Amino acid sequence: MAQRILTGIKPTGQLTLGNYIGVLRDLPKMMDKGECIFFIADLHALTLPIDPEVLRQNSIDLASFYLAAGLDPEKVTLFLQSSVSAHAELNAIMQNYLYMGELSRMTQFKDKSAKMKESAIGLGLFAYPVLMASDIILYDSDVVPVGEDQIQHIELTRDLVNRFNNRYGPVLKEPHYQVRKVGARIMSLSDPTTKMSKSDPKGDIYLKDDMKTVRKKIMSAVTDSGSEVKYDPENKPGISNLLTIYAVLSDISIEEAEKRFVGYRYGDFKKAVADVVVAELEPFQQKYQQIIDNKEYEKALQIGAKKAEAMARPVLNRVKKAVGLLDI
Ligand code: TYM
């Protein structure tokens, strides 16, 4: 059987260049490497308060971004997580095999909940990794391409799989994460020691930003002392982040990128970075707009949900049987 490649993106705030470089840009290349299962993690988006209209709009946007990146809906399975009820059903089973201690050690939970009053932290936020593990297990996934921040969740999924299989026999497939060697953690432009995330308007480049804004944000990105364009994440986090963005979008190595900018001043270097980002995002946005105008996402998501359902159901049934749930 062809290997199964699965990933999801949450339709919370606007998608960033971090999401794009970390995963989205690479997905079309995977169409020939295996069976691709890509989804909109809309149930996960409910783990923090979100306006219903915003969630609807973000979900449409995200589906269109997947397609604009170059995915062929005939070749991949693209769907809304909430359209395939097996995700929630498997979640109800799997929540019994992950424990409070390990869930409370998840960095993403600690980061998100640190800013909240305990009385406002939903159970779904705490149990987030259970649903994510269920997403992965449900399709017998082999490979899960993600950015660096999601590795911990996939390791937890692997622990869950081993724990479950030790108890019930070889029921679940063990997944592996796949992260980019370069670009697995794009940093904020305003504070290059923190990750670029959907909720940081100053430090983010949003995939929907107009080109003037994109240029402005890059030109005012925080740089470092000194004047050399060198890759040194510890001492030059700002320049290193821009070099990473440049190298990935130009499909060259960091070393090659460094060589191109020997003797450059920071300002000229930033201009070159802005040029490659604009060259990438401009056609991407045009495709996105066309997909939105023609509502191409609708058909793709309908077909995708059917295909996903057909793949998920046998796995769910296997799990139900293993734990002793009757099939009458
Ligand atoms: P999400 O929506 O936060 O992010 C989507 C993907 O983008 C990656 N990413 C980044 N990569 C590089 N640099 C950054 N600054 C950056 N920011 C985000 C993320 O690592 C992710 O791969 N829990 C997931 C969604 C999910 C999922 C799944 C993923 C739900 N179920 C099953 C894989 C498998 C999330 O919140 O991603």
Side-chain angles (χ1 to χ4, degrees):
M1 204 167 79
Q3 64 165 354
R4 287 200 169 160
I5 306 168
L6 170 137
T7 202
I9 302 179
K10 241 178 357 219
T12 42
Q14 287 201 47
L15 243 63
T16 71
L17 192 64
N19 302 122
Y20 183 76
I21 290 181
V23 277
L24 193 57
R25 185 174 190 263
D26 291 331
L27 298 183
K29 296 175 208 149
M30 295 179 192
M31 288 194 289
D32 300 321
K33 299 210 173 110
E35 207 173 340
C36 292
I37 302 154
F38 302 143
F39 65 95
I40 294 146
D42 52 355
L43 291 173
H44 277 112
L46 294 174
T47 57
L48 287 173
I50 185 162
D51 179 82
E53 196 42 48
V54 172
L55 176 54
R56 275 189 280 273
Q57 198 49 54
N58 286 351
S59 300
I60 290 173
D61 270 353
L62 181 48
S64 307
F65 282 140
Y66 269 122
L67 294 172
L71 293 181
D72 176 351
E74 302 277 323
K75 276 198 183 169
V76 307
T77 299
L78 179 69
F79 63 100
L80 290 159
Q81 182 188 32
S82 63
S83 304
V84 181
S85 60
H87 287 254
E89 291 177 63
L90 189 60
N91 180 60
I93 297 173
M94 287 305 153
Q95 64 187 350
N96 303 299
Y97 304 90
L98 279 172
Y99 303 131
M100 305 280 280
E102 54 198 356
L103 290 172
S104 60
R105 284 194 294 276
M106 290 295 108
T107 311
Q108 184 170 305
F109 173 71
K110 286 198 282 188
D111 286 352
K112 297 236 150 104
S113 60
K115 298 169 214 147
M116 300 164 74
K117 274 204 236 131
E118 201 178 36
S119 57
I121 302 170
L123 180 57
L125 185 67
F126 184 65
Y128 185 109
V130 183
L131 180 58
M132 179 158 164
S134 304
D135 298 336
I136 297 170
I137 291 168
L138 191 55
Y139 297 91
D140 284 337
S141 310
D142 296 284
V143 182
V144 186
V146 283
E148 201 178 86
D149 63 326
Q150 295 300 315
I151 292 178
Q152 200 184 26
H153 288 154
I154 295 162
E155 303 218 298
L156 188 67
T157 306
R158 291 164 56 82
D159 291 346
L160 168 67
V161 165
N162 286 318
R163 187 174 297 160
F164 192 95
N165 286 349
N166 275 336
R167 184 150 163 200
Y168 297 105
V171 178
L172 307 177
K173 183 103 178 226
E174 197 175 328
H176 299 269
Y177 61 80
Q178 180 181 308
V179 294
R180 290 187 58 86
K181 282 199 196 76
V182 175
R185 190 178 176 81
I186 298 297
M187 309 306 272
S188 158
L189 298 181
S190 57
D191 175 4
T193 60
T194 63
K195 189 187 68 152
M196 184 182 282
S197 75
K198 290 173 193 145
S199 50
D200 169 24
K202 268 204 352 237
D204 272 347
I205 290 185
Y206 292 121
L207 299 186
K208 281 172 85 172
D209 277 343
D210 63 73
M211 293 307 124
K212 209 171 136 208
T213 308
V214 168
R215 282 192 186 277
K216 211 166 118 202
K217 284 183 178 175
I218 294 174
M219 292 314 287
S220 49
V222 169
T223 41
D224 318 293
S225 56
S227 58
E228 238 184 322
V229 179
K230 252 183 91 58
Y231 187 76
D232 177 356
E234 207 156 289
N235 301 308
K236 285 176 167 275
I239 292 294
S240 303
N241 191 37
L242 292 173
L243 265 173
T244 302
I245 293 171
Y246 181 89
V248 175
L249 296 184
S250 311
D251 293 308
I252 60 172
S253 66
I254 293 278
E255 293 75 31
E256 269 178 87
E258 265 180 335
K259 271 192 216 140
R260 281 193 195 174
F261 296 110
V262 173
Y264 268 61
R265 280 190 305 231
Y266 282 173
D268 295 330
F269 164 58
K270 283 177 166 179
K271 192 174 165 305
V273 176
D275 286 344
V276 295
V277 175
V278 166
E280 180 92 14
L281 289 189
E282 211 163 29
F284 177 77
Q285 288 188 356
Q286 281 161 5
K287 271 198 235 153
Y288 156 84
Q289 198 54 52
Q290 189 190 325
I291 290 158
I292 291 279
D293 292 345
N294 299 331
K295 295 203 171 158
E296 283 170 45
Y297 53 86
E298 257 178 27
K299 190 90 195 291
L301 291 177
Q302 283 161 0
I303 300 171
K306 285 210 185 84
K307 284 201 277 183
E309 170 70 30
M311 280 190 259
R313 202 47 59 179
V315 183
L316 178 66
N317 286 341
R318 199 165 78 217
V319 173
K320 285 169 81 171
K321 190 166 169 212
V323 299
L325 297 173
L326 280 175
D327 178 22
I328 293 184

